[in-house]
Amino acid sequence: MIKYSAEIKKIMSNQHQKLLQKIIKDSPDPKLIKKAYEFAEKAHKGQKRKSGEDYIIHPLYTAFYLCEMKLSPNTVAAGLLHDVVDDTPITQEEIKKEFGKDIAFLVQGISKLGKIKYRGKERYIENLRKVFFAMAKDIRVILIKLCDRLHNLETLKYLPTEKAKRIALETLEIYAPISFRLGIRNLTGRLEDAAFPWAYPFEYQQLVKQVKDKYEQRRKYLDKVKPIVAKRLRKERILPIEIHYRSKRYWSLYKKLQRYDQDLNKIYDLVALRIIVKDIKDCYKTIGIIHKLWKPLPRRIKDYIASPKPNGYRSLHTTVFCMNGKITEFQIKTPQMHKEAEYGIAAHWYYSEQKGLKAYIRRLITKPPEKDLKWIKQLGEYQEKTRDFSSDKYLESLKIDFFSNRIFVFTPQGDVIDLPEGATPIDFAYAIHTEVGNLCQQARVDGKIASLNYPLQNGNLVEIITNKNRKPSRDWLKFVKTNLARYRIKSSFKEEIKIEKKQIISPVPLPSPKKIAKIKSPKITKIFLAGETGMQTNLAKCCSPQIGDKIIGYITQNSGATIHRAGCKNLKRLQKKWPQKVIEASWKSKK
Ligand code: MN
C-alpha cells in the first residue's frame, strides 16, 4: 500500500482516492504515478473546474481512461500532467527535470500554444496543427488528447450551450474519426455518444424516444437465444469463451439510419450476439453451426478474418432468420480479435506492459505495423504543406483528406488504400507514390480500362499503368479529390519551371551550393527548431535553403540539425528511413 503525506491525504476527496487507487493498482510503476499525481495536484491547487470540483479531477480521469487502455506508466503520468504547463506556472523545463525527456515530450505535445500571437479561429487551427504534428512523431500524444477530450465531453453540462455545441461538433468531425481510424472502437463510441446530445440535441432525443423500447425487447429476445446457441455449440464440442450481446451505440445507429431511409426495421444489428471462441478454426466451425441452426440471409455473411476491414477489424459476421424468424446478427471472433477491436492501435502497446528489462526491450521494438502509421505520418507532413491555407480552407481540406467518408480500394498486391469519397485513379496513384502519380498513363479498375477521372467505388481493384515519358497534366487539377494529389501535381510544375529557368537563365555555372548557403544565410538569421532556438543548425548542401523558403530540420548524429528545403528529395529519402529525426523548422519564431 502506498503512503501519502498527511496534507495530500486531507485534500483528496473520496472520489480522487478511488480513481487514483485504481490507476495505481493497475500500473507497473506505482511510484511514478504517485509522484506525477502529487506534482499535478500541487500545481493545480486552488483551481476549480467549471463544475466546482477541484481541477485535479480532470487530469485524474484522463489518466484513468489511459490506464483503462493499459497504456504505459509514462503515458498515464503524462495524462496526469497534461494541463500543468498550460494552466499553472510550471514550465516545460521543470517537467523535464522531474520526469525526464519522454514524459516532457508528451506533455509538450498536448499543451496548447503559448499565450500570445494567435487569436480566435487562427489559434484553434494552430493548436490542431500542433497536435497533429506531435502525433505524427508519437501516437501516444493523440491517445492522451482523446482521453482528455472524453472527460471534457462528460462535463459539458457545466459549459455555456454554444461552447458545448462547438466542442461536441469538433469531436464528431475530427477527434472521433481519428480515434476510429486508429481502430479504438471503444473510445470512439464513447466520444461519439458523449458528443451526440450536445451536437444535435433534437435528433438525439427523437432517436432515444424511438428506440429505447426496441433495445429492451431485443435484449430480452437475445436472452432466450443465448442458451440455445451455447447448448448447440457444446454439443458440437466447441466451448465458447464468452457469449454476450452488444448494443449499437446511439450515434452509430443515427448515422446508419440516415443510410437506411430512417427505417429501423432495416437495422439488423441493433443488438447483436457476440460469440468469442478460442481460435480461428473454431470461428469458422461456429458460423457453420449457426447456419445449420438458422438460415442465413443472402449476402450478409462477412468474413473479416480473411479480409479484415482497413482499420484492422477482424471477425465473422452473419445475419440469420433466428428463433421465431426474427432477423438477428451474430459476430464471431477470438479473444485476441476482440481485444484488438476494442483497443485498436493502443493494443500494440498493451502487449508490452510487463515489468523488467525484457519488457523494456520489447517495448522498444514493439511498434504498430507501418501501414497503420502511414496516414498519421501523412497527417503530420500535411501540416507543412498547408501552411499558407486560410483557416477555413485548412479545415475543409483536412476534413476531405483525412476525415470525410472514406472508400477503400485495393492494389493488385491486395494492399488497402483508403481515399475520400469521389477519389479518382489519379488520387489513388499519388497515394501510392509521387512517381506513380507523376507517370500515370492509364488506369484499370476491376480489370477494365477506366478514365483517369473515374470516381472510384468501395472495393475496387485499381491498377495504374505508368509511362516514363509521361508528365502530370493541368487538367488533373480539375478533378482530383485529395489535396495530396493536388499538391504533388502543382509541385511537379514548379520543379519543371525551376529546371527550365536553370537551363535558360544560367549560361554561367551556378555557384556551388556551399557558396550559396554562405552568401544567403547571414549570421543574424536565427533558425527555430520546433519553436526553439539554441540548437546548432547547418544549411543542407543538397538543396541550399534560403531565407523565406519553407524548411524542415533533420537531426544529425553530432552536429545539431541540418536544414533542408521542405521539398528536398534527399530529405524525403531520409524522412522515409528515419521519420523520428525530422523536426519542424522555421526562420522566424512562431510564438
Ligand atoms: Mn485537459
Side-chain angles (χ1 to χ4, degrees), residues 7 30 50 63 95 99 128 139 238 240 285 324 326 339 349 415 435 461 490 504 546 580 589:
E7 194 194 1
K50 284 275 185 325
I95 300 274
F99 297 96
L128 266 188
I139 195 79
I238 287 181
K285 265 195 200 163
N324 305 330
K326 275 200 190 319
K339 191 155 73 178
W349 282 278
D415 290 329
E435 284 297 283
L461 188 137
K490 280 188 185 160
I504 300 162
Q546 301 182 21
Q580 71 276 19
S589 167

Side-chain angles (χ1 to χ4, degrees), residues 44 49 55 58-59 62 79 82-84 86-87 110 112 144-145 147-149 151-152:
H44 288 296
R49 294 280 289 176
Y55 194 89
H58 168 65
T62 307
H82 82 268
D83 274 335
V84 160
D86 273 343
D87 298 340
I110 196 94
K112 298 193 186 78
I144 300 171
K145 182 82 195 166
C147 292
D148 166 48
R149 175 53 60 107
H151 184 251
N152 283 334

Side-chain angles (χ1 to χ4, degrees), residues 167-183:
I167 293 173
L169 279 173
E170 185 199 25
T171 305
L172 292 175
E173 286 174 0
I174 293 172
Y175 289 103
I178 291 183
S179 176
F180 178 79
R181 288 193 72 184
L182 294 172

Side-chain angles (χ1 to χ4, degrees), residues 60-69 147 150-151 154 190:
L60 254 178
Y61 264 105
T62 307
F64 178 62
Y65 296 147
L66 290 163
C67 167
E68 281 185 313
M69 287 198 274
C147 292
L150 180 59
H151 184 251
E154 286 166 347
R190 283 157 78 185

Side-chain angles (χ1 to χ4, degrees), residues 276-337:
I276 300 183
V277 291
K278 76 170 191 307
D279 53 23
I280 290 177
K281 215 169 96 195
D282 276 4
C283 288
Y284 287 107
K285 265 195 200 163
T286 302
I287 200 172
I289 294 166
I290 304 273
H291 289 167
K292 260 195 267 172
L293 265 171
W294 297 296
K295 197 171 146 48
L297 261 73
R299 288 191 304 278
R300 298 277 310 187
I301 305 166
K302 289 170 195 155
D303 185 349
Y304 296 124
I305 293 179
S307 4
K309 282 191 188 179
N311 66 359
Y313 179 78
R314 290 186 301 158
S315 177
L316 296 177
H317 287 195
T318 183
T319 308
V320 300
F321 296 99
C322 196
M323 198 177 77
N324 305 330
K326 275 200 190 319
I327 296 175
T328 304
E329 181 176 302
F330 285 78
Q331 304 178 351
I332 303 152
K333 49 182 99 172
T334 66
Q336 173 81 6
M337 291 172 196

